[in-house]
């Protein structure tokens, strides 16, 4: 897995305009929390796009046909777990101000998307995902609600720096 060359630019919710989210959706309840959170970001005036991973062979119809949210599942992975739907490469190529990984555990297909993304600033939970620019450390047993609160807190108080760093690994 190779990371795209990119200029890392610290960004917060006040300075971001276009934000990409990646997440795992284990069930409807978890998806409803994430969907509500994405809605609050849209209400702030952010342009939001999201990709959800469902760890099953088929995607339940409940998850389909959502505006600016695409889903993929196990059958959409190749033999080394790289996601293959065309919307994945499109998402990776978008120059997001922020890419936010909402994963509560390590999931290779989502890590692949995160690492390959051209996003200016990548944020997520610290779960052995070393290519994030900001990692939020929370307890393994923490809830999605707690993680979203922490994410909101840190991406509100974070002061963007004027400096940029070229990352090319």
């Amino acid at each position: 897995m190779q990371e795209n060359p990119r200029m890392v630019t610290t960004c917060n919710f006040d300075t971001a305009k276009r934000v990409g989210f990646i997440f795992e959706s284990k069930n409807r309840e978890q998806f409803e929390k994430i969907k509500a959170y994405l809605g609050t970001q849209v209400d702030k005036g952010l342009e939001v796009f999201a990709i959800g991973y469902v760890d099953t062979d088929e995607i339940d119809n409940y998850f389909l046909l959502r505006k600016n949210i695409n889903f993929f599942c196990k059958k959409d992975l190749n033999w080394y777990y790289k996601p293959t739907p065309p919307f994945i490469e499109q998402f990776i190529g978008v120059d997001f101000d922020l890419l936010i990984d909402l994963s509560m555990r390590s999931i290779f297909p989502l890590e692949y998307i995160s690492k390959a993304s051209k996003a200016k600033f990548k944020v997520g939970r610290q779960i052995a995902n070393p290519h994030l620019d900001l990692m939020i450390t929370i307890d393994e047993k923490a809830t999605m609600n707690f993680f979203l609160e922490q994410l909101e807190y840190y991406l509100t108080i974070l002061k963007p720096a004027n400096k940029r760093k070229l990352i090319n690994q």
Side-chain angles (χ1 to χ4, degrees), residues 11-14 16-24 34 37-38 40-41 44 46-52 91 96-104 110-111 113-115 117 119-125 127 129 131-136 144 147-156 158:
C11 190
N12 63 25
F13 282 136
D14 290 331
K17 291 179 179 45
R18 183 182 291 173
V19 182
F21 289 88
I22 56 177
F23 62 92
E24 176 187 28
I34 291 171
Y37 184 72
L38 297 178
T40 63
Q41 302 312 312
K44 291 179 186 177
L46 296 173
E47 191 176 353
V48 171
F49 300 91
I51 291 183
F91 186 89
F96 292 113
D97 297 312
L98 276 171
L99 175 72
I100 301 175
D101 184 347
L102 297 175
S103 304
M104 296 299 286
L110 295 178
E111 288 177 14
I113 294 168
S114 176
K115 182 166 181 148
S117 172
K120 293 177 183 124
F121 197 61
K122 300 176 184 181
V123 179
R125 184 170 180 235
I127 49 173
N129 193 348
H131 50 274
L132 295 173
D133 303 312
L134 174 64
M135 293 181 270
I136 299 171
M144 173 63 75
F147 176 50
L148 294 174
E149 288 171 8
Q150 295 303 299
L151 187 65
E152 194 69 24
Y153 174 76
Y154 286 107
L155 287 177
T156 301
L158 183 69

Side-chain angles (χ1 to χ4, degrees), residues 4 15 60 85 90 94 125 138 140 155:
N4 283 320
T15 59
D60 186 324
Q90 293 169 350
V94 175
R125 184 170 180 235
I138 59 172
E140 287 180 17
L155 287 177

Side-chain angles (χ1 to χ4, degrees), residues 55-106:
D55 195 19
T56 59
D57 292 328
E58 297 290 328
I59 300 171
D60 186 324
N61 287 337
Y62 178 78
F63 297 113
L64 301 176
L65 301 174
R66 303 291 178 163
K67 184 177 179 183
N68 295 332
I69 304 174
N70 288 305
F71 285 91
F72 68 102
C73 62
K74 286 181 181 179
K75 75 173 184 175
D76 297 316
L77 305 175
N78 66 15
W79 63 273
Y80 53 93
Y81 296 98
K82 177 184 170 189
T84 59
F87 63 81
I88 300 289
E89 288 303 317
Q90 293 169 350
F91 186 89
I92 287 169
V94 175
D95 191 20
F96 292 113
D97 297 312
L98 276 171
L99 175 72
I100 301 175
D101 184 347
L102 297 175
S103 304
M104 296 299 286
R105 63 187 182 107
S106 181

